Amino acid sequence: MEFFNDVGGDPLKPSLFELVAQEQLRDLLQPALKYVLAVFAQRYPRYLLRIVNRHEDFYAIIMLFVERHFLRTHNASFSENFYGLKRRRKPWIETERAKAAVGGIPVGEKLRTREIWRSLVFLVGVPYLRAKAQDYYEELGGGIDSDIMEGGNETRQLQALTDQVSLLDLNGRLRRGFKAVYPWVNMTFEVWLLASNVAYLFDQTPFYRPWLAWVGVDLRRLGVEDFVTGLAGRKPPGPPPMKGIIALMRRLLVSSPRLLFDSLRLLLPTAIFFIKFLEWWYSPGSPARSLSSSPLGPAVPPPKMLAPHPGGVPFDRTKYGQCALCHGPINNATAFPSGYVFCYRCAFDHVEKAGRCPVTLLPAKVWQLRKVLV
């Protein structure tokens, strides 16, 4: 894809893959931080449980300070600076002769307060509102099939009754309207972003995101001048260090917030890599699990299924996926302690009436029934 960016002879124009990669890094920060907080909340629930429950608000506040620091210091967001990109004020007329006459980075390209706050709206505000809207949509039951819930028919009847009652008040109408409109609005927004990416890929627009034109900035690669002026994260040569303990303490107090924010460039991507590595290591299909062997020897095989009782319900082992009680497809599969699987409603009704497994006639209780997740 470098071909599309080199046609115009602009080596500092980033490719679409660089822009997409930095956005993926930014999207991975929130789940990584939430995973770390959830792990520590199990040990210190008194202090961290409320933060985990309101993670979107906590993450938005943190990223507001982080992104504001990087925009003011490096003219880029956190993920853009990590990938060697920067934001600049879009000039009305861009000429190489004007740059050569000024030397270094022109003052007009540096972000002002207006561009910084407009950038923060789309770097922090819009993702926060989208996350809250998605959570509210899922809270209303959007995107969840009632068949996977316990008692699918009863759930649908209860949902229909709730919808009829909710039509009587204004809040119920608003909730139903939001539940119906949100998927279309979200899809339209994603299509809008996709169209902007395609237009940027074929050099039809200088902005890979449509709102960058309103912000008044575009994205560029870091050049030699950026490393000289310190926008790349390296400090330019300054005055000689101060002497004395008081001067040293003053310097530490002044530089400690900046040092903390700059250290995130290394700590956050490392944490994301470590968390992704743990997910891969403990996933069921990971090749690493086949390399690990138990010190106690091979794994114990599951027990054999008990033989059917002559007085029990006939059970045909060749009819997979068929309930032996209702003779239909198994709906919401549920297993008895004996290992035989039936529909949840059939198994629940049989245990309440007979208190036994229908095939082996062994005693069984309702709390011994186990759902089978396939």
PDB file of all heavy atoms in Angstrom, residues 160-182:
ATOM      1  N   ALA A 160     -42.686  -9.847  25.618  1.00  0.00           N
ATOM      2  CA  ALA A 160     -43.823  -9.246  24.924  1.00  0.00           C
ATOM      3  C   ALA A 160     -44.737  -8.502  25.895  1.00  0.00           C
ATOM      4  O   ALA A 160     -45.233  -7.412  25.598  1.00  0.00           O
ATOM      5  CB  ALA A 160     -44.597 -10.320  24.172  1.00  0.00           C
ATOM      6  N   LEU A 161     -44.970  -9.113  27.075  1.00  0.00           N
ATOM      7  CA  LEU A 161     -45.793  -8.442  28.082  1.00  0.00           C
ATOM      8  C   LEU A 161     -45.128  -7.168  28.579  1.00  0.00           C
ATOM      9  O   LEU A 161     -45.786  -6.127  28.758  1.00  0.00           O
ATOM     10  CB  LEU A 161     -46.055  -9.399  29.254  1.00  0.00           C
ATOM     11  CG  LEU A 161     -46.919  -8.851  30.401  1.00  0.00           C
ATOM     12  CD1 LEU A 161     -48.305  -8.489  29.882  1.00  0.00           C
ATOM     13  CD2 LEU A 161     -47.023  -9.885  31.521  1.00  0.00           C
ATOM     14  N   THR A 162     -43.818  -7.209  28.771  1.00  0.00           N
ATOM     15  CA  THR A 162     -43.087  -6.014  29.204  1.00  0.00           C
ATOM     16  C   THR A 162     -43.139  -4.920  28.150  1.00  0.00           C
ATOM     17  O   THR A 162     -43.282  -3.734  28.472  1.00  0.00           O
ATOM     18  CB  THR A 162     -41.629  -6.378  29.512  1.00  0.00           C
ATOM     19  OG1 THR A 162     -41.607  -7.440  30.485  1.00  0.00           O
ATOM     20  CG2 THR A 162     -40.873  -5.180  30.061  1.00  0.00           C
ATOM     21  N   ASP A 163     -43.055  -5.306  26.877  1.00  0.00           N
ATOM     22  CA  ASP A 163     -43.125  -4.312  25.806  1.00  0.00           C
ATOM     23  C   ASP A 163     -44.494  -3.656  25.743  1.00  0.00           C
ATOM     24  O   ASP A 163     -44.608  -2.448  25.491  1.00  0.00           O
ATOM     25  CB  ASP A 163     -42.787  -4.963  24.462  1.00  0.00           C
ATOM     26  CG  ASP A 163     -41.336  -5.435  24.404  1.00  0.00           C
ATOM     27  OD1 ASP A 163     -40.532  -4.940  25.225  1.00  0.00           O
ATOM     28  OD2 ASP A 163     -41.030  -6.300  23.567  1.00  0.00           O
ATOM     29  N   GLN A 164     -45.565  -4.431  25.988  1.00  0.00           N
ATOM     30  CA  GLN A 164     -46.903  -3.855  25.972  1.00  0.00           C
ATOM     31  C   GLN A 164     -47.093  -2.866  27.104  1.00  0.00           C
ATOM     32  O   GLN A 164     -47.704  -1.804  26.937  1.00  0.00           O
ATOM     33  CB  GLN A 164     -47.944  -4.972  26.054  1.00  0.00           C
ATOM     34  CG  GLN A 164     -47.986  -5.866  24.830  1.00  0.00           C
ATOM     35  CD  GLN A 164     -48.998  -6.995  24.970  1.00  0.00           C
ATOM     36  OE1 GLN A 164     -49.696  -7.080  25.985  1.00  0.00           O
ATOM     37  NE2 GLN A 164     -49.078  -7.854  23.970  1.00  0.00           N
ATOM     38  N   VAL A 165     -46.538  -3.210  28.285  1.00  0.00           N
ATOM     39  CA  VAL A 165     -46.657  -2.294  29.420  1.00  0.00           C
ATOM     40  C   VAL A 165     -45.819  -1.038  29.189  1.00  0.00           C
ATOM     41  O   VAL A 165     -46.215   0.078  29.533  1.00  0.00           O
ATOM     42  CB  VAL A 165     -46.239  -3.007  30.721  1.00  0.00           C
ATOM     43  CG1 VAL A 165     -46.224  -2.032  31.889  1.00  0.00           C
ATOM     44  CG2 VAL A 165     -47.194  -4.162  31.008  1.00  0.00           C
ATOM     45  N   SER A 166     -44.634  -1.218  28.583  1.00  0.00           N
ATOM     46  CA  SER A 166     -43.747  -0.079  28.385  1.00  0.00           C
ATOM     47  C   SER A 166     -44.280   0.908  27.363  1.00  0.00           C
ATOM     48  O   SER A 166     -43.857   2.054  27.325  1.00  0.00           O
ATOM     49  CB  SER A 166     -42.362  -0.569  27.943  1.00  0.00           C
ATOM     50  OG  SER A 166     -42.455  -1.226  26.693  1.00  0.00           O
ATOM     51  N   LEU A 167     -45.225   0.478  26.507  1.00  0.00           N
ATOM     52  CA  LEU A 167     -45.801   1.396  25.540  1.00  0.00           C
ATOM     53  C   LEU A 167     -46.663   2.458  26.199  1.00  0.00           C
ATOM     54  O   LEU A 167     -46.971   3.490  25.599  1.00  0.00           O
ATOM     55  CB  LEU A 167     -46.636   0.614  24.514  1.00  0.00           C
ATOM     56  CG  LEU A 167     -45.850  -0.186  23.464  1.00  0.00           C
ATOM     57  CD1 LEU A 167     -46.798  -1.006  22.612  1.00  0.00           C
ATOM     58  CD2 LEU A 167     -45.032   0.741  22.586  1.00  0.00           C
ATOM     59  N   LEU A 168     -47.088   2.200  27.443  1.00  0.00           N
ATOM     60  CA  LEU A 168     -47.987   3.123  28.117  1.00  0.00           C
ATOM     61  C   LEU A 168     -47.277   4.348  28.670  1.00  0.00           C
ATOM     62  O   LEU A 168     -47.911   5.368  28.903  1.00  0.00           O
ATOM     63  CB  LEU A 168     -48.726   2.396  29.247  1.00  0.00           C
ATOM     64  CG  LEU A 168     -49.546   1.154  28.808  1.00  0.00           C
ATOM     65  CD1 LEU A 168     -50.166   0.500  30.022  1.00  0.00           C
ATOM     66  CD2 LEU A 168     -50.619   1.547  27.792  1.00  0.00           C
ATOM     67  N   ASP A 169     -45.964   4.287  28.917  1.00  0.00           N
ATOM     68  CA  ASP A 169     -45.252   5.429  29.468  1.00  0.00           C
ATOM     69  C   ASP A 169     -44.210   5.924  28.475  1.00  0.00           C
ATOM     70  O   ASP A 169     -43.799   5.216  27.550  1.00  0.00           O
ATOM     71  CB  ASP A 169     -44.586   5.061  30.790  1.00  0.00           C
ATOM     72  CG  ASP A 169     -43.592   3.936  30.623  1.00  0.00           C
ATOM     73  OD1 ASP A 169     -43.855   3.004  29.827  1.00  0.00           O
ATOM     74  OD2 ASP A 169     -42.544   3.969  31.273  1.00  0.00           O
ATOM     75  N   LEU A 170     -43.776   7.164  28.678  1.00  0.00           N
ATOM     76  CA  LEU A 170     -42.838   7.793  27.757  1.00  0.00           C
ATOM     77  C   LEU A 170     -41.472   7.138  27.807  1.00  0.00           C
ATOM     78  O   LEU A 170     -40.821   6.951  26.763  1.00  0.00           O
ATOM     79  CB  LEU A 170     -42.721   9.281  28.094  1.00  0.00           C
ATOM     80  CG  LEU A 170     -41.765  10.103  27.209  1.00  0.00           C
ATOM     81  CD1 LEU A 170     -42.220  10.054  25.757  1.00  0.00           C
ATOM     82  CD2 LEU A 170     -41.693  11.540  27.698  1.00  0.00           C
ATOM     83  N   ASN A 171     -41.006   6.755  29.007  1.00  0.00           N
ATOM     84  CA  ASN A 171     -39.684   6.124  29.117  1.00  0.00           C
ATOM     85  C   ASN A 171     -39.636   4.807  28.364  1.00  0.00           C
ATOM     86  O   ASN A 171     -38.623   4.484  27.727  1.00  0.00           O
ATOM     87  CB  ASN A 171     -39.340   5.903  30.590  1.00  0.00           C
ATOM     88  CG  ASN A 171     -39.126   7.198  31.332  1.00  0.00           C
ATOM     89  OD1 ASN A 171     -38.731   8.199  30.739  1.00  0.00           O
ATOM     90  ND2 ASN A 171     -39.381   7.193  32.630  1.00  0.00           N
ATOM     91  N   GLY A 172     -40.720   4.056  28.426  1.00  0.00           N
ATOM     92  CA  GLY A 172     -40.754   2.794  27.687  1.00  0.00           C
ATOM     93  C   GLY A 172     -40.686   3.005  26.186  1.00  0.00           C
ATOM     94  O   GLY A 172     -40.007   2.261  25.471  1.00  0.00           O
ATOM     95  N   ARG A 173     -41.342   4.038  25.695  1.00  0.00           N
ATOM     96  CA  ARG A 173     -41.284   4.324  24.263  1.00  0.00           C
ATOM     97  C   ARG A 173     -39.885   4.756  23.846  1.00  0.00           C
ATOM     98  O   ARG A 173     -39.397   4.381  22.773  1.00  0.00           O
ATOM     99  CB  ARG A 173     -42.294   5.418  23.925  1.00  0.00           C
ATOM    100  CG  ARG A 173     -43.749   4.994  24.120  1.00  0.00           C
ATOM    101  CD  ARG A 173     -44.697   6.124  23.780  1.00  0.00           C
ATOM    102  NE  ARG A 173     -46.082   5.723  23.989  1.00  0.00           N
ATOM    103  CZ  ARG A 173     -47.125   6.538  23.798  1.00  0.00           C
ATOM    104  NH1 ARG A 173     -46.917   7.787  23.381  1.00  0.00           N
ATOM    105  NH2 ARG A 173     -48.345   6.102  24.010  1.00  0.00           N
ATOM    106  N   LEU A 174     -39.247   5.551  24.687  1.00  0.00           N
ATOM    107  CA  LEU A 174     -37.885   5.976  24.364  1.00  0.00           C
ATOM    108  C   LEU A 174     -36.923   4.795  24.348  1.00  0.00           C
ATOM    109  O   LEU A 174     -36.035   4.712  23.491  1.00  0.00           O
ATOM    110  CB  LEU A 174     -37.417   7.029  25.369  1.00  0.00           C
ATOM    111  CG  LEU A 174     -38.147   8.383  25.313  1.00  0.00           C
ATOM    112  CD1 LEU A 174     -37.626   9.303  26.408  1.00  0.00           C
ATOM    113  CD2 LEU A 174     -37.991   9.033  23.953  1.00  0.00           C
ATOM    114  N   ARG A 175     -37.089   3.888  25.306  1.00  0.00           N
ATOM    115  CA  ARG A 175     -36.212   2.706  25.326  1.00  0.00           C
ATOM    116  C   ARG A 175     -36.409   1.845  24.094  1.00  0.00           C
ATOM    117  O   ARG A 175     -35.448   1.361  23.492  1.00  0.00           O
ATOM    118  CB  ARG A 175     -36.463   1.898  26.603  1.00  0.00           C
ATOM    119  CG  ARG A 175     -35.933   2.552  27.862  1.00  0.00           C
ATOM    120  CD  ARG A 175     -35.937   1.571  29.008  1.00  0.00           C
ATOM    121  NE  ARG A 175     -37.279   1.160  29.374  1.00  0.00           N
ATOM    122  CZ  ARG A 175     -38.019   1.742  30.320  1.00  0.00           C
ATOM    123  NH1 ARG A 175     -37.528   2.789  30.981  1.00  0.00           N
ATOM    124  NH2 ARG A 175     -39.226   1.315  30.603  1.00  0.00           N
ATOM    125  N   ARG A 176     -37.677   1.631  23.713  1.00  0.00           N
ATOM    126  CA  ARG A 176     -37.939   0.832  22.516  1.00  0.00           C
ATOM    127  C   ARG A 176     -37.413   1.533  21.264  1.00  0.00           C
ATOM    128  O   ARG A 176     -36.891   0.893  20.355  1.00  0.00           O
ATOM    129  CB  ARG A 176     -39.431   0.568  22.382  1.00  0.00           C
ATOM    130  CG  ARG A 176     -39.976  -0.459  23.364  1.00  0.00           C
ATOM    131  CD  ARG A 176     -41.486  -0.589  23.218  1.00  0.00           C
ATOM    132  NE  ARG A 176     -41.850  -0.914  21.849  1.00  0.00           N
ATOM    133  CZ  ARG A 176     -41.871  -2.135  21.343  1.00  0.00           C
ATOM    134  NH1 ARG A 176     -41.520  -3.155  22.111  1.00  0.00           N
ATOM    135  NH2 ARG A 176     -42.232  -2.352  20.100  1.00  0.00           N
ATOM    136  N   GLY A 177     -37.549   2.870  21.238  1.00  0.00           N
ATOM    137  CA  GLY A 177     -37.021   3.598  20.087  1.00  0.00           C
ATOM    138  C   GLY A 177     -35.512   3.519  20.004  1.00  0.00           C
ATOM    139  O   GLY A 177     -34.948   3.344  18.921  1.00  0.00           O
ATOM    140  N   PHE A 178     -34.839   3.634  21.157  1.00  0.00           N
ATOM    141  CA  PHE A 178     -33.376   3.526  21.153  1.00  0.00           C
ATOM    142  C   PHE A 178     -32.939   2.126  20.728  1.00  0.00           C
ATOM    143  O   PHE A 178     -31.986   1.977  19.957  1.00  0.00           O
ATOM    144  CB  PHE A 178     -32.843   3.838  22.549  1.00  0.00           C
ATOM    145  CG  PHE A 178     -31.356   3.689  22.680  1.00  0.00           C
ATOM    146  CD1 PHE A 178     -30.503   4.707  22.306  1.00  0.00           C
ATOM    147  CD2 PHE A 178     -30.795   2.515  23.180  1.00  0.00           C
ATOM    148  CE1 PHE A 178     -29.132   4.577  22.414  1.00  0.00           C
ATOM    149  CE2 PHE A 178     -29.428   2.367  23.293  1.00  0.00           C
ATOM    150  CZ  PHE A 178     -28.600   3.401  22.902  1.00  0.00           C
ATOM    151  N   LYS A 179     -33.636   1.109  21.219  1.00  0.00           N
ATOM    152  CA  LYS A 179     -33.280  -0.269  20.878  1.00  0.00           C
ATOM    153  C   LYS A 179     -33.456  -0.545  19.392  1.00  0.00           C
ATOM    154  O   LYS A 179     -32.713  -1.339  18.796  1.00  0.00           O
ATOM    155  CB  LYS A 179     -34.127  -1.233  21.706  1.00  0.00           C
ATOM    156  CG  LYS A 179     -33.765  -2.687  21.552  1.00  0.00           C
ATOM    157  CD  LYS A 179     -34.621  -3.558  22.450  1.00  0.00           C
ATOM    158  CE  LYS A 179     -34.300  -5.035  22.262  1.00  0.00           C
ATOM    159  NZ  LYS A 179     -35.148  -5.888  23.147  1.00  0.00           N
ATOM    160  N   ALA A 180     -34.431   0.117  18.760  1.00  0.00           N
ATOM    161  CA  ALA A 180     -34.670  -0.110  17.331  1.00  0.00           C
ATOM    162  C   ALA A 180     -33.748   0.730  16.456  1.00  0.00           C
ATOM    163  O   ALA A 180     -33.351   0.293  15.371  1.00  0.00           O
ATOM    164  CB  ALA A 180     -36.135   0.205  16.998  1.00  0.00           C
ATOM    165  N   VAL A 181     -33.373   1.927  16.917  1.00  0.00           N
ATOM    166  CA  VAL A 181     -32.604   2.849  16.080  1.00  0.00           C
ATOM    167  C   VAL A 181     -31.102   2.629  16.225  1.00  0.00           C
ATOM    168  O   VAL A 181     -30.350   2.816  15.249  1.00  0.00           O
ATOM    169  CB  VAL A 181     -32.971   4.306  16.435  1.00  0.00           C
ATOM    170  CG1 VAL A 181     -32.050   5.296  15.735  1.00  0.00           C
ATOM    171  CG2 VAL A 181     -34.418   4.585  16.064  1.00  0.00           C
ATOM    172  N   TYR A 182     -30.634   2.219  17.408  1.00  0.00           N
ATOM    173  CA  TYR A 182     -29.187   2.156  17.655  1.00  0.00           C
ATOM    174  C   TYR A 182     -28.438   1.276  16.663  1.00  0.00           C
ATOM    175  O   TYR A 182     -27.373   1.687  16.180  1.00  0.00           O
ATOM    176  CB  TYR A 182     -28.927   1.671  19.089  1.00  0.00           C
ATOM    177  CG  TYR A 182     -27.473   1.422  19.377  1.00  0.00           C
ATOM    178  CD1 TYR A 182     -26.588   2.479  19.599  1.00  0.00           C
ATOM    179  CD2 TYR A 182     -26.949   0.129  19.399  1.00  0.00           C
ATOM    180  CE1 TYR A 182     -25.250   2.262  19.842  1.00  0.00           C
ATOM    181  CE2 TYR A 182     -25.613  -0.098  19.640  1.00  0.00           C
ATOM    182  CZ  TYR A 182     -24.776   0.966  19.863  1.00  0.00           C
ATOM    183  OH  TYR A 182     -23.444   0.737  20.096  1.00  0.00           O
TER     184      TYR A 182
END
